[in-house]
Amino acid sequence: MAHKVRISDLVLRDAHQSLHATRMTTADMLPICSKLDSVGYWSLEAWGGATFDAAMRFLDEDPWERLREIRRRVKKTKLQMLLRGQNLLGYRQYADDVVERFVLASAKAGIDIFLIFDGLNDPRNCKAAIEAVLRAGKRPDANILYTLSPVHSIESYVALAQEYERMGVHAVHLEDMAGMVSPRAVHEAVRALKDAVSVPVHFHSHCTGGMADISYWEAARAGADVVDVDVASLALGTSHPPTECILASMKRTPRDTGIDMDL
């Protein structure tokens, strides 16, 4: 029997990174955190990506204090961050001991799920981070950058997902970062991953190409366990599908999210 689709909410990180160059301040975020915590999301992505860089460079804020303040208000929902593998949250590769210390500090500050990726889909650049997260007693998830080209194939993504599973990740995320992959292609890729690995499969896309809402429907039909969304005011454009639309489209289907639309 099909289980309900779980929902990850990205408003505190990727939504404003995609739409507003990561300029949402901590003061913008804190008043809504307790309500976000009450909805029943699988996770709240609240840190990582460009939030660390932008907080210091443009907002004159301490990114560590942002994380600690969000954690004080979010008691029930897992907090998630996007980690660039060996690059951490910077733009160069760092030594393994720096990766280890950064992951440990992030875990202590409140991160539960570390979504780890490499820009070249090279698992060697994720190995140290995955191992550090496991040692910290937290959840490492692997993020596969997904596109279609003469040198990309479903078979290559399946092999990569299986390699990440052997490395100990708790889930595999398929990310259509350009928002240009067709719904049919998404269905085929998610189905192949579900058949190939035993860990949950997540799907993430952006609305840039106008097909993301339909792609989420197809991902759900193919068995995706979790999809990434934003509340409507921070959705669409170069951001992600609106939470409300995804909840409504799944309503009274075998994949009904069970989330209260009014809340």
Side-chain angles (χ1 to χ4, degrees):
M1 179 178 293
H3 60 78
K4 66 183 180 182
V5 175
R6 293 191 175 105
I7 299 294
S8 282
D9 181 280
L10 311 184
V11 294
L12 302 181
R13 205 284 296 179
D14 202 3
H16 69 103
Q17 180 173 317
S18 297
L19 292 176
H20 307 307
T22 333
R23 297 302 197 270
M24 187 186 289
T25 67
T26 302
D28 293 327
M29 300 177 187
L30 297 184
I32 199 64
C33 283
S34 60
K35 181 165 281 190
L36 289 171
D37 192 29
S38 69
V39 174
Y41 293 123
W42 166 248
S43 66
L44 293 172
E45 189 172 278
W47 214 55
T51 59
F52 197 92
D53 175 9
M56 294 188 295
R57 192 187 302 267
F58 302 111
L59 303 178
D60 194 26
E61 290 189 0
D62 179 350
W64 294 102
E65 187 60 22
R66 172 183 294 185
L67 175 55
R68 288 189 287 265
E69 288 295 328
I70 292 173
R71 180 80 278 178
R72 290 186 185 108
R73 290 160 175 80
V74 176
K75 307 292 187 183
K76 298 177 291 186
T77 311
K78 292 180 282 293
L79 288 182
Q80 175 177 308
M81 74 170 292
L82 184 69
L83 190 72
R84 301 179 184 130
Q86 207 73 27
N87 289 37
L88 297 176
L89 300 181
Y91 303 98
R92 47 156 289 193
Q93 292 189 330
Y94 300 97
D96 288 355
D97 58 343
V98 177
V99 173
E100 175 83 27
R101 297 292 293 176
F102 187 91
V103 165
L104 181 60
S106 303
K108 287 183 175 179
I111 294 298
D112 302 298
I113 301 173
F114 291 76
L115 179 54
I116 300 165
F117 79 100
D118 174 68
L120 299 176
N121 278 338
D122 188 339
R124 295 174 298 178
N125 288 330
C126 299
K127 182 176 184 290
I130 291 170
E131 292 175 349
V133 173
L134 290 169
R135 283 192 292 271
K138 298 298 182 178
R139 178 188 177 105
D141 286 6
N143 199 36
I144 295 174
L145 302 183
Y146 173 51
T147 189
L148 299 177
S149 83
V151 297
H152 294 88
S153 66
I154 289 178
E155 291 75 19
S156 69
Y157 295 127
V158 164
L160 182 56
Q162 291 172 330
E163 174 65 16
Y164 279 130
E165 185 175 27
R166 287 191 291 271
M167 294 168 72
V169 302
H170 288 206
V172 171
H173 296 231
L174 200 60
E175 177 177 348
D176 170 26
M177 60 283 181
M180 299 301 292
V181 178
S182 73
R184 178 178 177 179
V186 168
H187 185 105
E188 293 172 350
V190 170
R191 186 68 261 158
L193 289 181
K194 288 294 293 181
D195 289 340
V197 297
S198 59
V199 296
V201 174
H202 299 215
F203 183 67
H204 172 112
S205 186
H206 293 253
C207 295
T208 319
M211 296 184 287
D213 293 51
I214 309 172
S215 293
Y216 274 40
W217 173 261
E218 287 298 314
R221 286 185 61 242
D225 298 278
V226 182
V227 294
D228 295 349
V229 297
D230 314 304
V231 72
S233 55
L234 280 167
L236 302 174
T238 49
S239 189
H240 316 87
T243 309
E244 298 89 331
C245 295
I246 299 305
L247 298 187
S249 66
M250 300 298 169
K251 194 74 174 174
R252 296 190 298 276
T253 78
R255 306 306 311 279
D256 194 326
T257 66
I259 289 177
D260 184 323
M261 176 74 86
D262 292 334
L263 182 56

